[in-house]
Amino acid sequence: MLERIGSVVVPVGVGLYAMLYLGIQQMYWVFDINPEQAGIDQSVLLGRLMGTLILLLLVLLPTIGVLVAVGWLLDKLTGGLIGRIVGGIRRRPWIAAILAAAWCGLTYLSITYLLAQEISLTYVLFALVLGILAFVVPFRLLRRKPVGRAGMKVLVGALTGIGLGMVLLIGLVLGAIDVRNTGQANELLGAVGFQDQWVVVKDGDDKPLYDGRDIMLLGESDGTYLFYDCDKMETFRRAAEGTNLGNIRLDPEREEGFTCGQLVKDGEEEKTEEGTASTTNDKPKSEQPANG
């Protein structure tokens, strides 16, 4: 059992790692930077992703154990009927190929959601049909020999890992968008090592800059800090030399309904008021309200 599980877990882990790597890049692109500019090189990225994979493994292992225990219990309660059904499916290559092809098709649902931003019954049926048309015959041919069956396991595991990784990628991108819009990170971003860290930027004389507002610290690289100004909704850089950081906080609590871009909204309101006042002043005297 452990040998069979291991032959599937390895390709799943490889697929997950590859998609998480792309997901972290997409996460920082939301802020118009790349991970390297935030000081996240390959070694740091490897450490973060390994930590994430370990957390996923800790969740998946008991889940697999529970499923195996439930399957064993059902097999005992039914007098071995479950075992005979599973054995019958394995001895019928077309049925096994159809089930594996349908499962591989479902892994494309995450890609469908990424493109269409929704999942409906139509998309589910499309994914199933796509998987059956694309994989049934190749999987049937692979099941003729033990080497082919092993290759089929690797392929199914890799596609499963890519599908799960795509789900995580979508979650990372949506989480980064939430941070950009609300200034609040979720637990998924914390699991991949995203630092929801806010500071007050000060100059070399320890005087607060930017009106002493909370600024998000995205990272530091080559003597340069990268910040995200939630009030202006813009990313900017500042040399680390002559820059002090004060009032450092991780994952601060936000009041309900808080959103970023307050200074942008205030500026737009001021422009609207100025435009209204200018229009009123440009009217002819006969049209302007009389004093008194």
Side-chain angles (χ1 to χ4, degrees), residues 73-90:
L73 181 61
L74 291 177
D75 184 61
K76 293 298 182 182
L77 292 176
T78 57
L81 177 62
I82 301 297
R84 291 193 294 272
I85 292 175
V86 173
I89 291 175
R90 294 185 63 187

Side-chain angles (χ1 to χ4, degrees), residues 138-156:
F139 284 171
R140 172 62 184 87
L141 296 176
L142 286 173
R143 293 194 64 82
R144 290 181 175 178
K145 296 181 179 179
V147 175
R149 290 193 290 271
M152 176 181 166
K153 288 182 181 180
V154 172
L155 181 58
V156 172

Side-chain angles (χ1 to χ4, degrees), residues 119-194:
I119 291 181
S120 63
L121 180 61
T122 302
Y123 291 124
V124 174
L125 294 177
F126 171 77
L128 289 174
V129 172
L130 175 65
I132 291 174
L133 292 177
F135 297 111
V136 166
V137 174
F139 284 171
R140 172 62 184 87
L141 296 176
L142 286 173
R143 293 194 64 82
R144 290 181 175 178
K145 296 181 179 179
V147 175
R149 290 193 290 271
M152 176 181 166
K153 288 182 181 180
V154 172
L155 181 58
V156 172
L159 287 176
T160 301
I162 291 174
L164 293 175
M166 185 67 71
V167 173
L168 294 177
L169 184 151
I170 294 172
L172 291 176
V173 173
L174 294 178
I177 293 174
D178 286 339
V179 174
R180 187 188 63 186
N181 296 334
T182 66
Q184 190 72 48
N186 56 27
E187 295 180 357
L188 179 59
L189 294 183
V192 297
F194 182 82

Side-chain angles (χ1 to χ4, degrees), residues 2-289:
L2 290 177
E3 182 180 358
R4 292 176 180 177
I5 293 175
S7 64
V8 177
V9 169
V10 172
V12 170
V14 173
L16 271 174
Y17 180 86
M19 297 310 299
L20 282 174
Y21 180 87
L22 295 177
I24 290 182
Q25 287 188 329
Q26 294 285 341
M27 179 179 66
Y28 280 97
W29 283 346
V30 172
F31 298 97
D32 297 320
I33 61 174
N34 56 50
E36 289 76 14
Q37 290 176 317
I40 302 176
D41 55 17
Q42 295 296 324
S43 59
V44 175
L45 189 59
L46 176 63
R48 291 187 178 184
L49 292 182
M50 289 304 296
T52 304
L53 291 177
I54 290 174
L55 291 176
L56 290 174
L57 181 63
L58 292 176
V59 174
L60 290 176
L61 279 179
T63 303
I64 294 174
V66 170
L67 292 177
V68 171
V70 170
W72 176 84
L73 181 61
L74 291 177
D75 184 61
K76 293 298 182 182
L77 292 176
T78 57
L81 177 62
I82 301 297
R84 291 193 294 272
I85 292 175
V86 173
I89 291 175
R90 294 185 63 187
R91 288 191 297 270
R92 290 170 174 79
W94 279 111
I95 297 178
I98 290 174
L99 292 177
W103 176 256
C104 291
L106 288 177
T107 62
Y108 284 87
L109 276 177
S110 53
I111 301 177
T112 303
Y113 178 81
L114 189 64
L115 298 176
Q117 299 298 313
E118 66 173 335
I119 291 181
S120 63
L121 180 61
T122 302
Y123 291 124
V124 174
L125 294 177
F126 171 77
L128 289 174
V129 172
L130 175 65
I132 291 174
L133 292 177
F135 297 111
V136 166
V137 174
F139 284 171
R140 172 62 184 87
L141 296 176
L142 286 173
R143 293 194 64 82
R144 290 181 175 178
K145 296 181 179 179
V147 175
R149 290 193 290 271
M152 176 181 166
K153 288 182 181 180
V154 172
L155 181 58
V156 172
L159 287 176
T160 301
I162 291 174
L164 293 175
M166 185 67 71
V167 173
L168 294 177
L169 184 151
I170 294 172
L172 291 176
V173 173
L174 294 178
I177 293 174
D178 286 339
V179 174
R180 187 188 63 186
N181 296 334
T182 66
Q184 190 72 48
N186 56 27
E187 295 180 357
L188 179 59
L189 294 183
V192 297
F194 182 82
Q195 296 181 352
D196 185 18
Q197 190 172 46
W198 297 78
V199 301
V200 173
V201 183
K202 302 180 180 181
D203 60 12
D205 297 329
D206 219 27
K207 294 181 180 179
L209 302 175
Y210 313 109
D211 301 324
R213 294 180 284 106
D214 281 346
I215 305 293
M216 186 177 186
L217 177 62
L218 292 173
E220 185 269 336
S221 178
D222 298 329
T224 302
Y225 286 122
L226 268 85
F227 299 100
Y228 174 68
D229 191 339
C230 176
D231 295 303
K232 293 185 177 180
M233 299 188 70
E234 63 181 16
T235 303
F236 65 94
R237 307 174 70 179
R238 182 178 173 85
E241 185 178 358
T243 301
N244 297 327
L245 305 179
N247 194 22
I248 300 175
R249 294 180 296 160
L250 278 173
D251 194 17
E253 292 292 334
R254 301 288 184 183
E255 60 271 15
E256 187 177 356
F258 175 84
T259 57
C260 292
Q262 187 60 45
L263 290 182
V264 177
K265 296 176 183 177
D266 293 343
E268 292 177 353
E269 291 177 357
E270 290 178 0
K271 290 181 179 179
T272 302
E273 292 176 358
E274 291 177 357
T276 304
S278 175
T279 303
T280 303
N281 293 331
D282 290 341
K283 289 182 178 180
K285 292 183 179 180
S286 57
E287 298 181 8
Q288 294 185 6

